[in-house]
Amino acid sequence: MNDKDNSAMKTLPSVDAVIIGLGWTGSIMGMELTDAGLNVVALERGGDRTKEDFLYPKPADELKYGVRLEMMQRPKQSTVTIRRNADEEALPQRHWTTFHPGDGVGGAGSHWTGVLYRATPTELSLKSFADRTFEPGFLPEDMTIQDYGVTYEELEPHYDFFEKVAGLSGQAGNVQGEIIDGGNPFEGPRQNPFPLPPLPRTLTDTLFTEATKKLGWHPYPYPSANVSGAWTNPYGMQLGPCNFCGFCSNYGCLNYSKASPQTCVLDALKQRETFSYRTHCEVTRIVKSDDGETVKGVVYRDGEGQETFQPAGMVILASFPLSNVRILLLSEIGKPYDPVANTGVVGRNFSYQITGSIDMYFKDHQFNPFISAGGSGQVIDDFSPDTFDTASHGFIGGSYIYTTQGPGGAIGAIRTPPGSASWGSEWKKNASEHYGHHMMLGTTGTNMSYRDVYLDLDPTYTDPHGDPLLRMTYDWKDNDMRMTQFMAERMREIVAELKPDYHTESFKQVGDHFDPSHYQSTHLTGGAIMGTDPKTSVLNRYLQHWDAHNLFVMGASAFPQNMQHNPTGTVAALTYWSAKHIRERYLKAPGPLMEKA
């Protein structure tokens, strides 16, 4: 958008920096930039949400939050269209099924589960690993994986700091190169142990640990941002120990035990005189400057529909990954990706996440699923991308395999035998008898990026303002399905050790197509990726836009492909990494932090 487009708009006084979105990354950037002395304003599309909104018993409502998804965006306000290939017509998501984008202050960081991981060194340099490991021609021709452009060693101090901000609970497996029993021996080396010990064990944890150890694998506790003890973080924010109430994923934490922007950052940030934020302000465009090298602010609509231009010396785009990409496309900043010509970058390398599960019934075990926490569970990483010979099984990538307890809500936790009645007195009897007797196994895996999987603007469907919706072109690929089938076999080995009375499975097969009607994950990545080559990335390795040096883009939209582990830890570490270079280098000498080759 250029100057002539906003001549009739209300214009506000300029600020040093404007942040688009006030979730994890926006909150962190607010702290970092105000620390540097900047006057910062954040614009949030949704409403305000404070810790007081999480007071008991407000969040303990499964129908409101777990079923009706009260903390999510409303599709009628903004949605996406989805198709599986270029020959299909993309159709809009009218209900959130396959993923759950958050709404309001805190974003998805308010309703997340609380599982907080680091990427492995290999995942951050996956293309280099593949070039060293696989024979030429092994990777599919249409696979477009890349290195991040930043190493684990460079990010480690920022992982460490964010884990202190979140009060991470768990057991380290590699501290300064020393492998620690009971932790994850395959993780990258940490400079410090976890801030807090693991959450208490449940029966599911014990059974999983016993079975996987018998198989020669290496179980460890979930790294949990549901804190195991009282914690005061570096910003002076206090969290209380998790009481296993079970209201985690899709809920705000009623006990102030789950790390979120509200419990870890925002109350400290709001006390700073140089920070302010506005809610119900939907940014529609980032405004380009006439110099062709910078941006000069943003245009947004407020809750009354008033279009407003907010000038700023720097713009931080920090919204949900899909929103980041759409705003860049609407603003015409960066060349849109064209999969046919294989040119352009904005929308390129979109990826998702591959999951599968097994549900087991034990007549003689009562698991008490109402006693649960989002980050409670046991995991193995024995089948990560670099821990075994994936080539012999026909794929690149890997998954972690886990169990977790509950949740035990009266709606979502109901299980009945396969083939039994779905209503009536028989259903009620089965539901009562089976409640609490089920244990799950899950797998969460990598998803590679491909030439024909991407994001662009939909030519048909628009939002209430007349702007095109974002279009997602996405389908499963054989490489990732072979990986899932390999993990299914490993999980069946666990089932054989545990000997349930019966079990059911949910895994994708080679040849299956993406079905957006079922929940998959909210771990969407790519579309505005980072790298060291402006021909294949939107951002340089400091998350600075190649085409506008005062525009920085945060979030998982920067991932060149998706990793096996949950993205929040890496998203936060990259934000602190970017902030470090903004503060130490950019503010002293504004300009590109990397030169184009």
Side-chain angles (χ1 to χ4, degrees):
M1 184 172 187
N2 297 308
D3 292 350
K4 63 182 179 181
D5 299 314
N6 68 347
S7 57
M9 296 179 187
K10 177 182 177 182
T11 300
L12 299 175
S14 184
V15 295
D16 295 324
V18 61
I19 298 173
I20 304 170
L22 196 54
W24 271 123
T25 61
S27 301
I28 290 169
M29 266 296 177
M31 294 293 287
E32 293 291 314
L33 296 181
T34 53
D35 267 347
L38 272 59
N39 182 26
V40 178
V41 62
L43 302 173
E44 168 56 47
R45 173 169 57 184
D48 206 354
R49 185 174 285 123
T50 68
K51 289 193 302 182
E52 286 67 33
D53 293 310
F54 302 157
L55 287 173
Y56 182 82
K58 293 178 185 177
D61 187 334
E62 186 183 9
L63 180 63
K64 182 175 182 178
Y65 295 102
V67 177
R68 294 175 177 166
L69 304 178
E70 181 70 19
M71 297 185 75
M72 314 308 166
Q73 293 176 19
R74 300 295 94 182
K76 68 179 181 181
Q77 298 168 326
S78 181
T79 188
V80 297
T81 65
I82 299 176
R83 61 181 184 175
R84 292 173 294 193
N85 58 66
D87 294 327
E88 289 186 347
E89 178 187 0
L91 297 174
Q93 280 280 94
R94 301 189 185 276
H95 302 279
W96 293 128
T97 49
T98 187
F99 53 85
H100 295 162
D103 183 52
V105 171
S110 298
H111 74 73
W112 71 314
T113 302
V115 176
L116 181 57
Y117 268 105
R118 300 180 176 197
T120 67
T122 293
E123 287 173 319
L124 295 171
S125 303
L126 188 64
K127 183 59 166 65
S128 295
F129 166 78
D131 291 343
R132 295 191 308 268
T133 304
F134 301 102
E135 294 292 329
F138 176 82
L139 299 184
E141 290 185 3
D142 64 340
M143 188 179 287
T144 56
I145 60 175
Q146 296 180 195
D147 292 351
Y148 279 62
V150 61
T151 67
Y152 178 86
E153 290 73 23
E154 290 173 313
L155 287 185
E156 202 285 332
H158 307 296
Y159 280 121
D160 184 75
F161 184 76
F162 182 63
E163 289 165 0
K164 292 180 172 67
V165 170
L168 187 63
S169 302
Q171 172 60 58
N174 183 340
V175 179
Q176 300 180 19
E178 179 184 356
I179 303 303
I180 309 297
D181 185 49
N184 178 11
F186 307 108
E187 68 179 1
R190 302 170 175 272
Q191 60 177 303
N192 292 305
F194 279 49
L196 289 167
L199 289 168
R201 294 274 287 272
T202 63
L203 177 57
T204 57
D205 298 353
T206 300
L207 294 178
F208 182 90
T209 299
E210 292 173 352
T212 52
K213 280 187 174 181
K214 286 180 181 178
L215 291 166
W217 301 336
H218 302 82
Y220 65 93
Y222 247 151
S224 173
N226 316 112
V227 300
S228 62
W231 180 252
T232 301
N233 76 9
Y235 299 139
M237 301 287 288
Q238 297 178 334
L239 292 92
C242 177
N243 67 358
F244 278 66
C245 74
F247 293 97
C248 294
S249 188
N250 295 333
Y251 303 86
C253 182
L254 57 84
N255 204 49
Y256 301 164
S257 302
K258 182 174 71 174
S260 68
Q262 282 85 352
T263 56
C264 295
V265 184
L266 283 170
D267 279 2
L269 179 58
K270 291 175 186 178
Q271 296 179 27
R272 300 189 170 187
E273 294 183 358
T274 55
F275 175 80
S276 62
Y277 69 105
R278 305 172 198 147
T279 58
H280 300 293
C281 293
E282 181 179 2
V283 173
T284 58
R285 300 293 190 279
I286 300 170
V287 183
K288 296 185 286 188
S289 300
D290 292 334
D291 61 17
E293 298 179 353
T294 59
V295 295
K296 59 187 300 181
V298 303
V299 169
Y300 68 88
R301 285 185 176 87
D302 65 18
E304 303 300 319
Q306 170 67 52
E307 281 199 302
T308 302
F309 175 52
Q310 175 61 69
M314 183 187 306
V315 174
I316 307 295
L317 179 52
S319 60
F320 191 67
L322 298 180
S323 299
N324 281 353
V325 176
R326 182 171 183 251
I327 289 172
L328 290 174
L329 289 169
L330 290 174
S331 304
E332 300 180 356
I333 301 175
K335 185 176 180 180
Y337 174 62
D338 180 347
V340 177
N342 200 22
T343 58
V345 289
V346 183
R348 183 177 184 270
N349 279 42
F350 171 71
S351 57
Y352 200 6
Q353 197 145 52
I354 309 299
T355 62
S357 64
I358 291 177
D359 185 75
M360 298 176 288
Y361 170 74
F362 297 85
K363 181 179 180 181
D364 296 328
H365 284 320
Q366 173 53 255
F367 293 98
N368 296 325
F370 52 86
I371 303 172
S372 66
S376 171
Q378 289 287 116
V379 193
I380 58 168
D381 270 23
D382 293 72
F383 304 105
S384 296
D386 59 352
T387 58
F388 69 110
D389 180 14
T390 65
S392 66
H393 301 284
F395 63 86
I396 177 176
S399 298
Y400 71 82
I401 296 172
Y402 68 97
T403 189
T404 187
Q405 174 90 335
I411 301 172
I414 297 300
R415 301 284 187 274
T416 55
S420 63
S422 59
W423 65 283
S425 59
E426 182 184 347
W427 178 87
K428 292 179 182 178
K429 178 177 180 292
N430 286 332
S432 176
E433 291 178 351
H434 277 244
Y435 181 82
H437 290 276
H438 287 256
M439 172 182 169
M440 69 85 65
L441 300 175
T443 176
T444 297
T446 56
N447 187 203
M448 301 300 123
S449 49
Y450 300 90
R451 179 170 172 171
D452 60 350
V453 173
Y454 61 99
L455 304 170
D456 65 354
L457 294 177
D458 193 281
T460 304
Y461 293 96
T462 61
D463 68 8
H465 311 303
D467 285 328
L469 296 180
L470 190 71
R471 179 171 64 179
M472 176 193 302
T473 302
Y474 181 81
D475 204 358
W476 308 127
K477 298 288 187 173
D478 287 353
N479 175 87
D480 304 319
M481 296 301 94
R482 285 191 290 270
M483 178 199 69
T484 297
Q485 284 303 303
F486 174 86
M487 300 303 161
E489 290 299 325
R490 306 291 75 73
M491 292 166 68
R492 291 178 189 123
E493 293 182 55
I494 300 174
V495 173
E497 289 290 337
L498 291 173
K499 298 178 174 59
D501 293 280
Y502 71 81
H503 75 279
T504 57
E505 300 184 0
S506 176
F507 293 105
K508 300 160 193 69
Q509 308 285 336
V510 173
D512 283 354
H513 293 287
F514 174 55
D515 181 358
S517 68
H518 300 289
Y519 184 76
Q520 180 73 24
S521 165
T522 305
H523 303 158
L524 302 104
T525 66
I529 69 172
M530 63 190 296
T532 56
D533 183 352
K535 295 184 182 65
T536 58
S537 58
V538 175
L539 315 173
N540 64 26
R541 77 190 210 103
Y542 305 107
L543 304 186
Q544 181 186 45
H545 202 291
W546 285 110
D547 295 341
H549 65 72
N550 64 338
L551 170 60
F552 292 80
V553 184
M554 305 296 115
S557 54
F559 291 13
Q561 57 278 328
N562 208 354
M563 60 190 69
Q564 62 176 333
H565 294 121
N566 307 43
T568 304
T570 299
V571 166
L574 285 170
T575 303
Y576 282 113
W577 157 261
S578 178
K580 171 183 170 66
H581 289 275
I582 291 172
R583 293 177 61 175
E584 294 181 0
R585 297 172 56 201
Y586 184 81
L587 294 179
K588 295 176 182 178
L593 296 175
M594 286 184 70
E595 295 298 329
K596 295 183 179 181

